[in-house]
Amino acid sequence: MRMRERSLRQDPDLRKELALLARGCDFVLPSRFKKRLRAFQQGQAGVRTEEPVSTALSESIPKFYFPQGRPQANLNIDSLISKIEKIFSQFPNERATIEDMGQVAKACECPLYWKVPLFNSAGGDRTGFVSVHKFVAMWRKTLQTCHDDASKFVHLLAKPGCNYLEQDDFIPFLQVLAAAHPGRGLDLAVLDGKIALVIQRIFYNVNRSWTGKITCSELRKSNFLQNVALLEQEEDVNQLTDFFSYEHFYVIYCKFWELDTDHDLYIDQKDLARHNDQAISHRMIERIFSGTVTRDRRVYKEGRLSYADFVWFLISEEDKKTDTSIEYWFRCMDMDGDGVLSMYELEYFYDEQCQKLEAMAIEPLSFEDCLCQMLDLVKPEVEGKITLRDIKKCKLSHIFFDTFFNIEKYLEHEQKDPFSLIRVSDWEKYAAEEYDILVAEEAANDQCNDV
């Protein structure tokens, strides 16, 4: 009605007559007014009428958006259900325990270690077993609504009513996975530190939106489910370096333990400054503790970094070539959060590098010369403004970042060819070297104790 009134008042003749009526003029004929009003309304209705889209045109545009995966045309759900019922018929009272769920997972055409979310999703975590009727009802509904592995996995692990995964959703899955896997790495994964590491690495590699919520789309684009499937075939989890490596856990946990001198599972700015003999600038450490890249909101208030946040820091520090690490350090350097690294911000971080070089009796480049080098390195699309996109495109992000806040690596880059071929990632190389050192130290300590 309001829209109609506003359009009506725009008619000049009717506006004039309405004004006369408001003044109480009795020469305006009501019948004439109604006739004019009726004509105006019919005209407005004609303007609003739109031609419906023809059926032929609408049918010519195929569906192209499948948030739950593209449905399989030849999927026979009843045939799959009959296979599952046949497996359940082998169990006492047609009830499956968690030990039986490996066979059920295979009947569902899922990887072996999906048995945990399958069991829990059918209510097994509450009763200790799953009946054939409950499981078949759950799995039939899943097959009807979820059409690929990513959507099925999210559906099985997520809380009721959620279409995404949070960190605590992975805990039951990883606990049973750790106990069930025969490899050396996951035998020790019952430790809270190992479970926490795997969860952080999952979110580091998969949660590209930094929301703390993994969606079907993010899971689909990652290699996490492929790694879960490989656990069934690979006895040595150290070969699965993206998520489950015991060696990587051992290195990160030992590094954290060394810095956490009071062993309260938190480190402060002074603790973090001791990493790699104070190689990282104090100004960058202040930015890390500002909360710009940490999940725990207490970091900024209490000035303490948790083990989970340290995982993100260490992986980002040792491999600055991945998308997540580039985003991590860009957020730290972008102090005003405008999405652009200004010349002021670059000079702010480089100033401390110059002070460190002078303390080492090394004459630093002037900021102007350094800036010219970095602009040549990054080649920003807009002159004088370096964006996240620019740094990702340049393929030499590690040199760019180390120039502004890591003095040791900056000097290393000055002495070697930045374009040299590296077959493994910087993080994998670092973890392998540190693990060998830690194992050698442990062996030496054992020999001393024996003597």
Side-chain angles (χ1 to χ4, degrees):
M1 285 298 295
R2 290 181 181 175
M3 290 295 294
R4 183 175 296 173
E5 288 172 5
R6 280 199 296 269
S7 342
L8 189 62
R9 289 170 185 166
Q10 292 174 359
D11 183 88
D13 294 334
L14 290 177
R15 286 179 62 187
K16 183 178 180 182
E17 291 179 2
L18 287 170
L20 291 172
L21 279 173
R23 293 183 194 138
C25 300
D26 35 330
F27 65 88
V28 178
L29 299 177
S31 59
R32 178 170 171 261
F33 177 77
K34 289 179 181 178
K35 185 177 180 181
R36 295 284 301 276
L37 178 62
R38 196 179 303 115
F40 177 82
Q41 290 174 340
Q42 290 174 354
Q44 289 294 100
V47 171
R48 291 195 197 98
T49 304
E50 296 180 1
E51 294 184 6
V53 179
S54 66
T55 308
L57 180 60
S58 62
E59 289 178 353
S60 65
I61 302 175
K63 185 176 180 180
F64 57 87
Y65 179 57
F66 301 95
Q68 297 297 98
R70 184 183 291 272
Q72 301 177 31
N74 57 349
L75 178 64
N76 190 335
I77 294 179
D78 291 332
S79 175
L80 287 172
I81 294 299
S82 64
K83 290 180 182 178
I84 295 169
E85 290 174 338
K86 185 177 180 181
I87 293 295
F88 268 89
S89 66
Q90 303 173 12
F91 308 138
N93 300 320
E94 294 189 328
R95 294 176 175 180
T97 63
I98 186 63
E99 289 76 16
D100 303 321
M101 287 303 295
Q103 299 177 56
V104 177
K106 287 302 178 183
C108 294
E109 299 182 358
C110 295
L112 174 65
Y113 290 108
W114 280 44
K115 63 182 183 180
V116 182
L118 286 169
F119 184 74
N120 293 344
S121 188
D125 55 334
R126 297 187 298 272
T127 60
F129 63 86
V130 174
S131 68
V132 62
H133 303 295
K134 269 195 170 183
F135 187 86
V136 165
M138 179 277 297
W139 191 238
R140 184 185 292 276
K141 181 180 178 181
T142 302
L143 292 175
Q144 290 172 344
T145 56
C146 305
H147 308 294
D148 66 357
D149 287 348
S151 59
K152 290 174 188 174
F153 191 81
V154 171
H155 176 76
L156 292 172
L157 262 69
K159 301 177 183 68
C162 295
N163 59 354
Y164 53 81
L165 297 176
E166 297 178 303
Q167 293 195 9
D168 57 340
D169 293 328
F170 285 90
I171 293 176
F173 168 66
L174 292 175
Q175 285 176 335
V176 179
L177 180 68
H181 197 274
R184 176 191 174 190
L186 290 182
D187 284 341
L188 300 179
V190 292
L191 295 171
D192 290 341
K194 173 60 179 175
I195 298 294
L197 168 67
V198 175
I199 291 174
Q200 296 312 313
R201 297 205 68 181
I202 291 170
F203 276 78
Y204 188 92
N205 292 322
V206 179
N207 187 210
R208 302 294 307 114
S209 61
W210 285 68
T211 59
K213 300 174 180 179
I214 293 178
T215 63
C216 290
S217 177
E218 289 178 326
L219 195 61
R220 202 171 283 128
K221 294 175 183 177
S222 74
N223 65 343
F224 174 70
L225 293 180
Q226 291 88 328
N227 273 262
V228 172
L230 286 173
L231 283 171
E232 184 179 348
Q233 307 166 13
E234 183 60 65
E235 292 186 3
D236 184 7
V237 293
N238 292 317
Q239 301 300 317
L240 305 177
T241 56
D242 288 338
F243 303 100
F244 303 111
S245 171
Y246 168 76
E247 292 181 1
H248 292 191
F249 156 69
Y250 189 71
V251 168
I252 294 174
Y253 197 81
C254 287
K255 288 294 178 183
F256 183 81
W257 192 254
E258 289 174 6
L259 298 177
D260 181 22
T261 52
D262 56 1
H263 303 315
D264 63 348
L265 298 180
Y266 288 94
I267 57 177
D268 57 22
Q269 291 192 33
K270 291 182 179 178
D271 294 330
L272 191 61
R274 292 188 290 107
H275 175 69
N276 279 1
D277 296 325
Q278 302 188 2
I280 300 175
S281 69
H282 291 287
R283 292 180 179 180
M284 179 51 68
I285 290 175
E286 288 175 358
R287 285 294 296 158
I288 293 170
F289 279 82
S290 70
T292 187
V293 290
T294 50
R295 301 279 182 181
D296 194 340
R297 296 179 179 179
R298 295 174 297 177
V299 171
Y300 177 69
K301 292 181 179 179
E302 301 178 6
R304 301 190 308 170
L305 203 69
S306 67
Y307 171 72
D309 286 318
F310 179 76
V311 172
W312 282 64
F313 159 76
L314 189 61
I315 297 176
S316 298
E317 162 58 15
E318 297 304 332
D319 189 354
K320 299 185 177 74
K321 298 174 185 176
T322 66
D323 284 346
T324 304
S325 64
I326 293 172
E327 292 161 8
Y328 185 98
W329 296 117
F330 186 90
R331 286 180 174 219
C332 289
M333 293 188 70
D334 183 18
M335 295 188 294
D336 55 7
D338 64 349
V340 174
L341 299 185
S342 65
M343 301 306 103
Y344 165 77
E345 288 164 335
L346 297 180
E347 186 173 15
Y348 174 79
F349 288 103
Y350 187 68
D351 182 61
E352 186 174 345
Q353 293 287 80
C354 290
Q355 296 174 22
K356 286 188 174 184
L357 289 170
E358 289 171 352
M360 299 166 65
I362 300 174
E363 183 178 355
L365 282 175
S366 65
F367 174 70
E368 290 74 15
D369 291 338
C370 174
L371 182 61
C372 288
Q373 287 187 2
M374 292 300 104
L375 292 176
D376 288 341
L377 183 82
V378 175
K379 296 180 176 59
E381 293 180 0
V382 179
E383 185 178 355
K385 294 183 178 180
I386 298 177
T387 64
L388 179 63
R389 175 186 172 88
D390 295 329
I391 299 177
K392 285 184 176 181
K393 285 175 63 178
C394 81
K395 305 300 182 184
L396 294 172
S397 53
H398 57 300
I399 296 177
F400 175 83
F401 288 127
D402 289 332
T403 299
F404 291 101
F405 56 81
N406 189 309
I407 195 67
E408 286 192 6
K409 291 187 177 180
Y410 167 71
L411 294 174
E412 287 179 10
H413 295 319
E414 292 291 303
Q415 298 171 6
K416 67 180 182 181
D417 180 10
F419 298 97
S420 59
L421 181 63
I422 301 176
R423 295 185 180 275
V424 297
S425 71
D426 287 349
W427 165 250
E428 292 178 14
K429 181 182 177 183
Y430 167 82
E433 291 174 353
E434 289 296 323
Y435 180 76
D436 290 341
I437 293 171
L438 291 168
V439 169
E441 290 176 352
E442 187 176 344
N445 290 335
D446 290 343
Q447 289 179 358
C448 292
N449 294 333
D450 292 341
V451 174

